[in-house]
Each structure stands twice: as C-alpha cells, then as structure tokens.
Amino acid sequence: LEHNILNLASIYSQTEKMISFPVLFNDSVVKAMNITSIERLEFYHVSDSVITENESNLPNKKTNYYFDEQGQVKKMIIGNYYDNRMISSIEMVFSNKQEETGFSSLKTNETWNSDEFPYAQYFQLPRSKHLYRFENLQTKNKLYIVPNKKHWKPLVIDTLCKPNPNDLIVWGSLKQPIKIYQVKDLVKESNVRRFTYDKKNQVLKRMDWNDEPFQIHRTFQFNQQGLCKGFVDSTFSLGRFVNAAVYEFELKDKLPRKITKKIKIGDQQRLIFEETFTYTFSVK
C-alpha cells in the first residue's frame, strides 16, 4: 500500500473543519512530487443528474491550498459561490512551523463568529510533559493531544486532562490519530472515532465512529498499485444496515483528480457531490 496525497485521516472527516491543523494532505507526498498548490472545486447536487457541461463552471466552493518547500500548507483561500458569483472569501496564512501534532498558528483576513463560520480555530496553551493542550477560540472547549500510548488509559487521561464532556481527546496526533473522543464521568466515552492502519507502512485502512443511533464504518479500497481508489461509509442502526455512501477517486499519475460521492439505498443510487483537484508543480 502507498500513501495517498490526501491525508485520509483528516479530509472528509471532522478534522477538516479544524483549520488550525492544516493536515489534509500528506506533506511528504506533496514535497516528493514538487507540488506548490492545489485547487479544489466542490459541486453539490440536489437531483439525480450528473454535472452537465454548462454546470461544470458553477462550483459551490473553491479552495486553494499553497505549500511551502516542506510540503506543508502555508496559505489557504476558501471561496463560497452561488450562481457562479462569489458570496464570501476567507484567506488564512499559516506560520512557517507546523508542530508534530499538526498544529499551526494562523492569521486570517477577517473575523467571524461561530454561528457564521463552520470551522474551528484553536490557540495553543502551554504544554505539559505528557500532552499538548489547545483551546477553541469560539467555544472555549479544550483539545488534548496525548502522543504516548502508555498514557492512553482512563485514569491517566482523567489525571492529565481533567476533561469536560465537550472537550476533545486525541491519541497520537491529528496528522495520524489513533482515537478521537469525548469523555465524562471518567470512563463514559462519546463521539468515539477510531483509526486502523496497515501495520507495515501505516496507511489508513479503516475508520469507525458512532453518530447516535448510528454506527458508521469507513473502509478504504485500493487499486493494484496500492493506491487508495476510494472508500465506503457503511451505516448501521441496531446492527442493521441502513445505507452506504460511496466515494470514488479518479486517479491520474497517482493523484486523485476527481472524487464523487454517491448514496446507495437498496438498489437506488444518488449523486451527492463531485470534487475536482488541479495541481501546480514547481519546475526544477
């Protein structure tokens, strides 16, 4: 198995909304392929139709990512569109040092409140010997990242973090998380998200999480070259299958160029959105 340029532990998950952790892409792959920027266009659908040629110029959202020489995100510009007109735009510039946790401080060209902006920005609190601490600027909830697995025990977590029910706890890092969850009354875990990696090369193979009353299992699929070609989110309720969301990657030169999401319910299939990725390479 090979690492995809997409960090599949982050993109298409709750971590994607945590903009203080710009880890949607694998920096080692970005660096090795001399990629300087990526343009990502999102097209959402309300019918069963596919994108027509006329529609293809009408994205709902455009995100431009710019990378430094180490393959890490240095700037991100998000533009939201309606009827081919930009209705809002936000530019974020990240510090030139990304922490091993994936955290990077950022500056933005405007301010927002939590009701209008669907992203979470954090600032870093003084770290302790055994964990990293962050605070959500909007909600003031805490985020604790615990890197060493010898501390991944309920009593140790309670002693180190003293978490509130709305605080997030991460095992490992947000670059490569093992488990993300919330906890109350010492041992009652909620919103648990687990990540399973290939033991040989640490490629992500599976994610599992609960969204009461549902359980979702994300299984990644690979082509003959070992590259991820998509994944399936299978939803269950009380042990019974409900539906499946199928993400398909159109690959070219080992890079995903187009991603589609389709929902399958029984024999019915409906297109939800399509995304395109365009890459810019440096000349060396």
Side-chain angles (χ1 to χ4, degrees):
L1 300 182
E2 291 191 35
H3 287 277
N4 196 290
I5 190 172
L6 304 178
N7 181 358
L8 296 167
S10 177
I11 198 167
Y12 304 116
S13 77
Q14 63 181 15
T15 309
E16 184 164 352
K17 300 296 184 182
M18 301 165 68
I19 56 171
S20 298
F21 298 86
V23 292
L24 301 186
F25 303 94
N26 282 313
D27 49 22
S28 59
V29 178
V30 173
K31 180 181 179 181
M33 300 188 75
N34 298 318
I35 293 171
T36 57
S37 67
I38 297 174
E39 181 177 86
R40 178 185 183 188
L41 298 179
E42 303 178 33
F43 306 85
Y44 286 84
H45 292 266
V46 294
S47 69
D48 294 337
S49 65
V50 298
I51 291 178
T52 65
E53 187 173 345
N54 291 333
E55 285 182 298
S56 63
N57 295 321
L58 304 177
N60 300 88
K61 184 177 179 181
K62 179 172 75 172
T63 307
N64 292 92
Y65 307 91
Y66 301 89
F67 303 92
D68 63 19
E69 292 182 351
Q70 300 306 311
Q72 297 176 346
V73 177
K74 65 179 181 180
K75 185 168 71 171
M76 183 166 67
I77 302 174
I78 302 172
N80 294 299
Y81 289 80
Y82 180 77
D83 197 21
N84 209 29
R85 295 182 180 180
M86 182 183 289
I87 57 175
S88 66
S89 177
I90 294 177
E91 177 178 312
M92 286 161 266
V93 178
F94 296 89
S95 66
N96 57 10
K97 180 185 178 184
Q98 188 180 102
E99 305 289 342
E100 60 182 337
T101 58
F103 175 80
S104 181
S105 59
L106 67 95
K107 293 181 180 179
T108 180
N109 63 338
E110 64 175 74
T111 58
W112 58 80
N113 62 55
S114 57
D115 294 329
E116 297 175 346
F117 194 70
Y119 298 91
Q121 184 179 357
Y122 290 82
F123 70 87
Q124 191 165 16
L125 300 170
R127 68 159 298 185
S128 70
K129 182 179 179 181
H130 301 302
L131 79 160
Y132 298 86
R133 305 186 305 141
F134 305 88
E135 183 174 283
N136 187 308
L137 284 177
Q138 286 80 31
T139 66
K140 307 305 179 184
N141 295 328
K142 303 297 189 294
L143 167 67
Y144 300 101
I145 296 180
V146 187
N148 194 326
K149 67 179 180 180
K150 73 179 183 180
H151 300 131
W152 298 346
K153 301 174 183 177
L155 287 175
V156 178
I157 292 292
D158 186 68
T159 300
L160 291 177
C161 306
K162 297 180 173 57
N164 290 321
N166 291 324
D167 295 339
L168 278 177
I169 297 168
V170 178
W171 293 0
S173 74
L174 279 169
K175 278 188 171 183
Q176 191 177 31
I178 305 300
K179 182 177 176 181
I180 302 175
Y181 65 105
Q182 295 170 305
V183 64
K184 62 180 179 180
D185 299 331
L186 188 63
V187 295
K188 293 182 180 178
E189 298 180 354
S190 62
N191 298 319
V192 180
R193 191 171 290 253
R194 293 182 174 86
F195 304 78
T196 303
Y197 299 88
D198 180 74
K199 291 182 179 180
K200 182 178 180 181
N201 49 26
Q202 295 302 298
V203 170
L204 185 64
K205 296 180 66 177
R206 182 181 173 118
M207 291 170 58
D208 300 272
W209 69 94
N210 294 328
D211 185 9
E212 296 298 339
F214 302 107
Q215 300 82 44
I216 299 96
H217 307 291
R218 175 171 292 179
T219 306
F220 296 92
Q221 302 172 326
F222 302 87
N223 63 17
Q224 292 181 343
Q225 288 73 45
L227 279 169
C228 181
K229 63 178 184 179
F231 57 86
V232 178
D233 286 350
S234 301
T235 301
F236 295 83
S237 178
L238 300 176
R240 294 185 176 182
F241 175 77
V242 177
N243 63 37
V246 180
Y247 291 72
E248 297 177 345
F249 296 3
E250 184 179 299
L251 300 170
K252 182 181 178 182
D253 300 326
K254 295 189 174 183
L255 295 172
R257 307 285 178 156
K258 181 179 178 181
I259 294 178
T260 58
K261 176 185 178 182
K262 299 175 183 177
I263 296 292
K264 289 185 177 180
I265 303 176
D267 294 330
Q268 300 296 314
Q269 180 171 282
R270 184 164 67 91
L271 180 65
I272 301 299
F273 75 72
E274 297 184 57
E275 293 188 334
T276 61
F277 291 81
T278 303
Y279 305 86
T280 302
F281 304 86
S282 63
V283 179
K284 293 191 175 181

